[in-house]
Amino acid sequence: MSEKKVISRIKPSECCPPVKYTAFDACCAPLPTSSCLCDCCVTPMQSVLQQLIGQTVILATIADAPNTPPFFFLVTITNVNDFLVTVTDGVSIYTVNISDVIGVGFLPPGPPISLLPPVDSGCECDCRERPMRQLLNTLVGATVNILVSNGSTAMNFTVEQTGLGIVLGTLPIDTMNPIFAISTCKITAVGQAL
């Protein structure tokens, strides 16, 4: 009589899709640290927003119509906590999910912005955040057009610095030249002149 093998349920790491049975691979191996989108996409934007508390900003989100002024245009950041940013326009207070923030702009000189250093997070971060950050890092000093996830295009964006999940640069808007921190996770395409 043959011996029956018991199949046990394997609990995947946070970055893996829920499956009843799975084989461990490079993504789904138990990781000593978390490596999901909060770490490489949302936390870096939260860090930037925390540095802008008290500042008047332009806050672009995925809910904004393409190529129109964002709903949160010239609002003041009052609080940043637990992946939420609170802003006011002087009439109303809004609490915004940071995972839906495409970018934040502020008028120069503004406060100096420190970006988180790139880390090898693996999994979702490896295919979502890392490639775009590395591409933009080769374009520091260049002027590019950036298509973001809500369909808007940041035309003539001058790339100044990259960090984990963020590209920092200037974006000419009318007579203003705000500094913008854009989530690399919300960038769909980067256009360059031939």
Side-chain angles (χ1 to χ4, degrees):
M1 195 163 160
S2 68
E3 184 180 317
K4 289 186 178 181
K5 293 189 178 184
V6 177
I7 298 176
S8 62
R9 186 176 285 224
I10 298 172
K11 184 180 179 201
S13 67
E14 292 174 7
C15 70
C16 300
V19 291
K20 187 171 180 181
Y21 305 106
T22 185
F24 287 130
D25 62 16
C27 170
C28 295
L31 299 173
T33 60
S34 178
S35 61
C36 293
L37 295 178
C38 283
D39 301 314
C40 57
C41 296
V42 186
T43 297
M45 182 57 73
Q46 176 168 275
S47 174
V48 169
L49 293 168
Q50 286 171 332
Q51 296 172 66
L52 292 170
I53 291 174
Q55 298 291 312
T56 299
V57 301
I58 301 166
L59 192 69
T61 72
I62 61 171
D64 293 321
N67 299 318
T68 60
F71 182 80
F72 302 111
F73 191 81
L74 300 179
V75 295
T76 302
I77 296 177
T78 60
N79 189 35
V80 179
N81 187 31
D82 193 26
F83 302 116
L84 299 172
V85 56
T86 303
V87 298
T88 182
D89 60 6
V91 177
S92 300
I93 296 170
Y94 299 92
T95 302
V96 180
N97 191 332
I98 295 174
S99 69
D100 291 334
V101 172
I102 292 172
V104 59
F106 56 96
L107 293 176
I113 299 297
S114 296
L115 301 181
L116 299 176
V119 294
D120 181 13
S121 297
C123 203
E124 288 174 313
C125 297
D126 196 47
C127 63
R128 182 99 178 139
E129 183 275 336
R130 179 196 53 77
M132 191 57 72
R133 172 180 36 83
Q134 288 179 344
L135 169 66
L136 289 163
N137 198 42
T138 68
L139 297 171
V140 169
T143 299
V144 298
N145 298 326
I146 297 177
L147 176 64
V148 294
S149 58
N150 74 339
S152 291
T153 304
M155 301 294 289
N156 300 314
F157 180 86
T158 302
V159 179
E160 294 178 2
Q161 183 182 0
T162 64
L164 182 66
I166 301 289
V167 59
L168 196 64
T170 54
L171 180 65
I173 300 176
D174 297 328
T175 58
M176 302 184 297
N177 282 316
I179 299 167
F180 254 88
I182 300 175
S183 170
T184 55
C185 299
K186 298 288 193 276
I187 296 175
T188 303
V190 175
Q192 305 169 57
L194 293 175

